[in-house]
């Protein structure tokens, strides 16, 4: 039988550390639901000490999915560990994931500690965590640039202290497959079956997936990875790539996972829509061109026999057999299925409301794209939840720019005017005055959309010190910009509402 490899998903933790990829708690909960359905073994939901939002996200995911193995990250510091344990209290199968840097370069320049001090903190932290949870994972940050003898020594010590999993991260994407396999192989030999050896790779040299597979061949049995490969700098090991390599080439990579691969593409789409950061068209498995054939020779071979140019059937990863383009003659069932494929299963009332808006759009536009459907879903569902909507916008550029905005909220209209030399700043200021939020538009871009007469605006905004994305489409660029900023404001206020409903944290001893 093939050996079982456990998938530790860190999309909600390391993944959101990508610049511009932060997520609020409702967004993390929506993604968590899809990750649970996907079949990940461990779901790392956040770094609770990092921010109130991260704490709330871990606590909310633990409460919503109590029987899922939820992990929270903590430095080898008592305050971090206690905060993470608090957030994990609703979980029935919590994992405390603690880490400390072990390489000489980190010890000298970042921690200013000796190896013995790091060793002592690591052991004490694992012992502290084990007082409250059975499942503790220890990570030796920058392990691939750590002295091998010290790495073995500290790994064995934390296992003696109670760690069930020892993670060997290639924190800066520095190692290469043969070297990584040698590091992992030595640890597996010295540790035996006393703990699971885990790997966490970064893609700075484009080797994250290759390094993870080399480590598995050497005896590692947990891979830490993310959807779309998002993460710090160049990103993490891509979950969809490493899983599909095992599934597609079992004779060379004889390992299995619990992942339902047909959900990979819908989840990739949901993540892209949530963070506003897409994958490159030629991205393996989930890119727009991953199953496209343009060259004449390729098309001829494909039409005669698919396997000539296609090693994975699209439906295996959840890509529709053919690009499903919806139009005004499409029925509710097709629309509902497409929404589900995009990560938004709808009840009957929601589908009916969105279908009416869909038909109106289809009368104006030939061929409705996924992006159009997502925009409809957001607009209609946010409105149902009492979100702000743009009712009117006017821009007067005689001299200083005057922006007048009228917003609708729960059936009531409110309007304000702001004057500035910068229309972008004026839009954010006047919307902020109406919605009682302080924010600014950091950057935005206007994109021409295929088969659509209307441009799309994608932006990043800072609201009350937190970063959000917003997307909107419309015939007038300023109105689209205002709607995109309103989408970001609504996401911020959804998070505030959730915090108000979340019970206050209790002490570890309660």
């Amino acid at each position: 039988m093939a050996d079982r490899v456990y998938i530790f998903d860190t999309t909600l933790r390391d993944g959101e550390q990508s610049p511009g990829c932060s997520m609020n708690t409702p967004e993390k909960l929506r993604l968590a639901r899809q990750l649970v359905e996907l079949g990940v073994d461990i779901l790392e939901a956040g770094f609770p000490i990092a921010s109130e939002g991260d704490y709330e996200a871990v606590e909310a995911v633990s409460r919503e999915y109590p029987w899922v193995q939820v992990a929270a990250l903590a430095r080898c510091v008592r305050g971090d560990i206690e905060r993470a344990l608090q957030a994990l209290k609703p979980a029935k199968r919590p994992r405390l994931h603690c880490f400390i840097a072990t390489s000489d370069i980190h010890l000298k320049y970042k921690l200013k500690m000796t190896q013995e001090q790091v060793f002592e903190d690591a052991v004490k932290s694992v012992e502290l965590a084990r007082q409250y949870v059975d499942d503790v994972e220890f990570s030796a940050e920058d392990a691939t640039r750590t002295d091998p003898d010290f790495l073995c020594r500290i790994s064995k010590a934390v296992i003696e202290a109670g760690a069930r999993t020892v993670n060997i991260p290639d924190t800066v994407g520095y190692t290469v497959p043969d070297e990584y396999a040698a590091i992992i192989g030595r640890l597996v030999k010295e540790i035996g079956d006393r703990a699971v050896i885990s790997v966490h790779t970064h893609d700075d040299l484009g080797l994250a997936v290759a390094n993870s597979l080399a480590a598995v061949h050497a005896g590692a049995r947990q891979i830490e990875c993310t959807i779309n490969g998002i993460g710090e700098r160049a990103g993490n090991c891509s979950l969809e790539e490493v899983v599909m390599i095992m599934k597609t080439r079992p004779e060379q990579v004889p390992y299995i996972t619990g992942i339902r691969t047909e959900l990979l593409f819908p989840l990739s789409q949901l993540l892209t829509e949530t963070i506003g950061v897409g994958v490159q068209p030629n991205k393996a498995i989930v890119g727009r061109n991953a199953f496209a054939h343009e060259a004449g020779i390729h098309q001829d071979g494909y039409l005669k026999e698919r396997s000539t140019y296609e090693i994975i059937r699209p439906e295996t990863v959840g890509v529709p057999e053919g690009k499903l383009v919806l139009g005004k003659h499409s029925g509710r069932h097709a629309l509902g299925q497409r929404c589900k494929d995009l990560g938004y299963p709808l009840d009957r009332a929601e589908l009916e409301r969105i279908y009416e808006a869909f038909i109106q759009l289809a009368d104006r536009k030939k061929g409705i794209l996924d992006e159009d459907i997502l925009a409809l879903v957001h607009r209609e569902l946010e409105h149902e939840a009492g979100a702000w909507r743009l009712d009117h916008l006017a821009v007067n550029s005689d001299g200083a720019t005057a922006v007048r905005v009228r917003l609708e909220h729960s059936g009531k209209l409110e309007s304000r005017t702001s004057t500035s030399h910068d229309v972008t700043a004026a839009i954010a200021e006047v919307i902020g005055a109406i919605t009682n939020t302080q924010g600014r538009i950091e950057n935005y871009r206007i994109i021409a959309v295929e088969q659509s007469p209307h441009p799309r605006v994608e932006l990043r905004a800072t609201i009350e010190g937190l970063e959000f994305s917003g997307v909107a489409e419309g015939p007038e660029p300023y109105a689209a910009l205002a709607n995109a900023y309103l989408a970001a404001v609504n996401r911020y206020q959804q998070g505030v509402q959730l915090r108000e409903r979340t019970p206050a944290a209790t002490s570890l001893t309660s």
Side-chain angles (χ1 to χ4, degrees), residues 125-143:
S125 295
V126 172
E127 290 175 340
L128 172 63
R130 275 304 306 270
Q131 294 177 34
Y132 300 98
V133 293
D134 293 330
D135 191 355
V136 176
E137 175 175 334
F138 171 79
S139 283
E141 186 186 7
D142 204 24

Side-chain angles (χ1 to χ4, degrees), residues 8 19 83 96 110 123 201 282 290 295-296 307 344 377 393-394 459 479 488:
F8 179 112
R83 184 69 167 163
L96 193 288
K110 187 181 77 172
V123 171
T201 57
N282 62 328
S307 62
Y344 288 88
V377 170
L393 178 140
L459 61 75

Side-chain angles (χ1 to χ4, degrees), residues 36 77 126 146 157 165 178 196-197 208 214 234 243 271 278 297 304 306 383 391 414 432 441 475 509:
V36 170
V77 175
V126 172
T146 295
T165 304
D178 288 347
V196 173
I197 298 298
V243 165
L271 176 62
I297 294 174
K304 291 174 179 174
R306 290 174 55 164
H383 180 57
D391 183 71
E414 186 172 347
I441 298 170
T509 55

Side-chain angles (χ1 to χ4, degrees), residues 166-353:
V166 176
N167 186 43
I168 309 301
D170 184 29
T171 304
V172 293
Y174 176 74
T175 195
V176 295
D178 288 347
E179 179 183 55
Y180 202 36
I183 295 170
I184 299 301
R186 176 179 173 181
L187 284 167
V188 169
K189 183 178 180 180
E190 296 204 20
I191 290 169
D193 61 0
R194 290 181 291 162
V196 173
I197 298 298
S198 169
V199 291
H200 178 115
T201 57
H202 280 263
D203 210 32
D204 297 71
L205 295 177
L207 292 170
V209 171
N211 284 334
S212 290
L213 289 176
V216 169
H217 279 306
R221 287 297 177 267
Q222 177 178 286
I223 298 175
E224 303 196 357
C225 45
T226 62
I227 298 297
N228 293 350
I230 65 171
E232 289 273 13
R233 304 180 313 280
N236 288 283
C237 173
S238 166
L239 185 153
E240 59 274 7
E241 291 178 25
V242 75
V243 165
M244 287 308 298
I245 290 170
M246 296 182 206
K247 187 178 181 70
T248 308
R249 298 300 309 277
E251 76 288 355
Q252 294 293 325
V253 192
Y255 311 103
I256 60 173
T257 71
I259 297 299
R260 297 174 58 195
T261 62
E262 69 274 12
L263 299 180
L264 287 171
F265 181 74
L267 183 48
S268 169
Q269 294 288 294
L270 177 60
L271 176 62
T272 293
E273 189 274 331
T274 298
I275 62 178
V277 177
V279 297
Q280 70 268 28
N282 62 328
K283 168 75 166 64
I285 313 301
V286 295
R288 186 174 68 239
N289 296 342
F291 297 96
H293 307 276
E294 183 172 343
I297 294 174
H298 286 218
Q299 290 175 344
D300 178 64
Y302 172 82
L303 291 172
K304 291 174 179 174
E305 170 52 50
R306 290 174 55 164
S307 62
T308 54
Y309 288 101
E310 201 168 78
I311 64 170
I312 301 169
R313 294 184 72 87
E315 58 269 27
T316 304
V317 297
V319 174
E321 179 66 26
K323 182 69 173 179
L324 180 61
V325 179
L326 299 177
K328 63 181 180 180
H329 300 296
S330 301
R332 290 170 176 78
H333 182 266
L335 177 62
Q337 183 59 49
R338 196 67 188 131
C339 290
K340 184 177 180 181
D341 291 342
L342 293 170
Y344 288 88
L346 305 174
D347 62 32
R348 183 175 298 179
E350 291 170 338
L351 176 59
E352 189 63 34
R353 191 168 65 254

Side-chain angles (χ1 to χ4, degrees), residues 34 36 41 131 200 225 254 265 309 366 374 385 392 407 412 424 451:
Q34 299 298 101
V36 170
D41 297 292
Q131 294 177 34
H200 178 115
C225 45
F265 181 74
Y309 288 101
K366 181 180 178 180
L374 287 169
H392 176 74
L407 301 182
K412 297 180 180 180
T424 304
Q451 296 184 5

Side-chain angles (χ1 to χ4, degrees), residues 90-102:
K92 305 297 184 185
R93 301 168 61 208
R95 174 177 291 194
L96 193 288
H97 182 193
C98 60
F99 75 97
I100 192 169
T102 53

